[in-house]
Every structure is written in structure tokens, then in C-alpha cells.
Amino acid sequence: IAEIGINHGGNFKRCIKMINAAAKSGADSVKIQTIDVDESYMQNTQSYKEFKNKNFSNSELLKLKKYSERLGVIFFSTPGDIKSLKRLIELKIPIIKISSGLANNYPLIREIIRRKIPLIISTGLSTIDEINFLNKFIRSFKFKKIAIMKCTSQYPANPENLDLNSINYIQRKFKLATGYSDHALGDVPAIVAVARGASIIEKHFTLNRSLKGGDHHISLEPKEFKEMVQKIRITE
């Protein structure tokens, strides 16, 4: 997964360029964030300022989805709230990602499972108790099209804090597809995660790491992303 997030800066043409570059770099899918800033954040907070005016219209989202499909890439998104989730459902976005900060937003998760939409959940901010509860919550629905992502919510993440061995813990606990959402610099952690059994890798993606805002500073540029994908294929 090439995690575009909000690195597009709300610029539709830039997002198209990013999807095209990600496809050429070997990404199987691309992901953006869809957030109603007034639903998700208090005004005058850093997050509010960062996400304001970064959303695309339904028409633009549909164009991004169709463009990705033409390139053979899956386009999906992370909703920040129920209102944004309803937009994604209306547009038939094929996968929904739950960010680490919303892994205990059970109304949001329940709505996705209820509609039987394939779901990816990151666990970067979850305690062991919260992971155990999430496991019980998911099992109560008997829905299997869910992947759980090991994640360290630090930007950038220090390699000493990654604890990639816990990928195996998550596999044993959930008995579902397990992946790794990476916020570390470079590609080594993602490759090690594959060696530990991760079947999904999510990595932040940018056209130029020197751009301001978003997650550019922890992202891989196209050439680097392509090299990471090649190394992951060898590791597999």
C-alpha cells in the first residue's frame, strides 16, 4: 500500500500524479485519508489546521478511484468519522482502513463490518487490553475479511521502538491477515516485517520528501518505494 494520506495537499492533479507514480513503483494499492475536519478535530488544534481543506469532493474521489483501477491499482481510504465513512460507502470504495487513533471507535468499526466491507485496522495506539477487546469485538461478527496491522505511532518511528516480533503475537491472537504499517525511515523495517510474516505493508509515499506539511518527511519517494517493493518480493 502506498499511503498517500494527505501528502496530496488537497490538490487533485498532484494526487493523480502520485497514484500514477505509485503504480509505476510497484504498489498494489494506494490510500488517502478522508476526514470531515469539523467532525474530527477541535478548531485551533494542529490537526485541524493540517487537515483543513484537504478533502476531495465525491466527484473527485470517484475519478481517483476509476483512474487507479485503470492502472490496475486498488484505491481506498481511511475515514476519520462516520460522516466520511458514509461518503466512502456511497462511492463503493472497496476497502476501508481504520487508523490507529480510531481502533477503539467501535461504532465506526461496527458500521463497516455490518456492511461486509473488507477492513484493515492499525493498532499503533492500542494497549494489550484494547487489542484483546478488539479481538473479541471482531469475533462476535464472524466476519473474516479483516486485516490487523502492527504499527508504532511515532513520526518517524525509532527502530528501537518497533518491536516487529509482535507481528507474530497479533497473528496468533486474531488468526486473521496480519500486516505492518510503517512510520520508520527507510525500507529495512518493512522488509523485516515481511520476514516476520506480514502479508500487507503500508508505507507513506511522496513525490518529494522536502515538501512541507503532511507526512512527506517520513515518506518514500517513487524510486525508493520501487526498490522497497523489489526487496519485499525477494524476501517473500
Side-chain angles (χ1 to χ4, degrees):
I1 303 168
E3 161 67 305
I4 292 173
I6 57 166
N7 280 350
H8 51 70
N11 185 311
F12 179 78
K13 289 184 178 179
R14 182 196 288 179
C15 195
I16 286 286
K17 288 181 180 178
M18 295 183 77
I19 292 170
N20 186 50
K24 289 181 178 178
S25 299
D28 298 303
S29 58
V30 294
K31 185 182 80 69
I32 67 168
Q33 290 171 294
T34 304
I35 292 177
D36 185 302
V37 69
D38 292 305
E39 290 278 328
S40 295
Y41 299 113
M42 297 293 291
Q43 290 189 23
N44 300 320
T45 62
Q46 186 59 41
S47 294
Y48 187 93
K49 294 173 185 175
E50 187 66 61
F51 283 90
K52 188 172 177 60
N53 299 322
K54 300 296 194 302
N55 255 354
F56 293 120
S57 67
N58 282 10
S59 174
E60 289 172 325
L61 284 173
L62 197 57
K63 288 176 182 176
L64 293 173
K65 177 174 178 275
K66 290 181 177 179
Y67 181 74
S68 299
E69 289 170 350
R70 287 201 299 271
L71 297 176
V73 171
I74 299 168
F75 175 85
F76 69 106
S77 186
T78 297
D81 46 84
I82 292 287
K83 189 174 180 180
S84 296
L85 172 62
K86 288 181 177 178
R87 290 181 64 205
L88 299 178
I89 291 171
E90 181 182 335
L91 296 171
K92 294 182 170 57
I93 299 301
I95 302 169
I96 301 294
K97 165 84 187 294
I98 295 292
S99 66
S100 291
L102 298 177
N104 60 356
N105 189 326
Y106 302 112
L108 189 67
I109 295 171
R110 180 174 58 240
E111 185 66 16
I112 298 165
I113 294 177
R114 188 176 70 82
R115 294 174 178 270
K116 301 190 183 308
I117 301 170
L119 174 63
I120 299 173
I121 305 175
S122 273
T123 58
L125 293 173
S126 299
T127 65
I128 290 292
D129 287 343
E130 287 170 331
I131 285 175
N132 289 337
F133 188 89
L134 177 63
N135 184 40
K136 291 178 183 177
F137 183 79
I138 288 171
R139 286 177 182 273
S140 70
F141 292 94
K142 297 180 174 58
F143 182 63
K144 297 293 185 181
K145 291 185 178 181
I146 300 174
I148 307 296
M149 305 289 273
K150 159 64 185 169
C151 178
T152 299
S153 295
Q154 184 183 24
Y155 303 82
N158 188 324
E160 294 179 357
N161 298 333
L162 297 182
D163 189 21
L164 297 180
N165 284 328
S166 61
I167 290 170
N168 301 126
Y169 173 84
I170 291 173
Q171 285 175 324
R172 292 195 303 272
K173 174 64 67 174
F174 287 89
K175 294 181 173 57
L176 294 168
T178 306
Y180 173 58
S181 181
D182 188 32
H183 300 138
L185 300 178
D187 61 11
V188 172
I191 294 160
V192 173
V194 173
R196 298 305 297 157
S199 56
I200 302 170
I201 295 294
E202 180 182 52
K203 186 71 176 175
H204 285 269
F205 184 80
T206 183
L207 296 177
N208 186 342
R209 198 159 39 246
S210 65
L211 292 171
K212 294 182 179 180
D215 295 303
H216 295 288
H217 67 295
I218 61 166
S219 301
L220 292 184
E221 295 179 358
K223 183 181 177 182
E224 298 166 329
F225 195 94
K226 185 175 183 178
E227 290 172 353
M228 181 192 72
V229 171
Q230 290 170 342
K231 292 173 187 176
I232 285 172
R233 298 310 179 203
I234 292 169
T235 305
E236 289 175 322

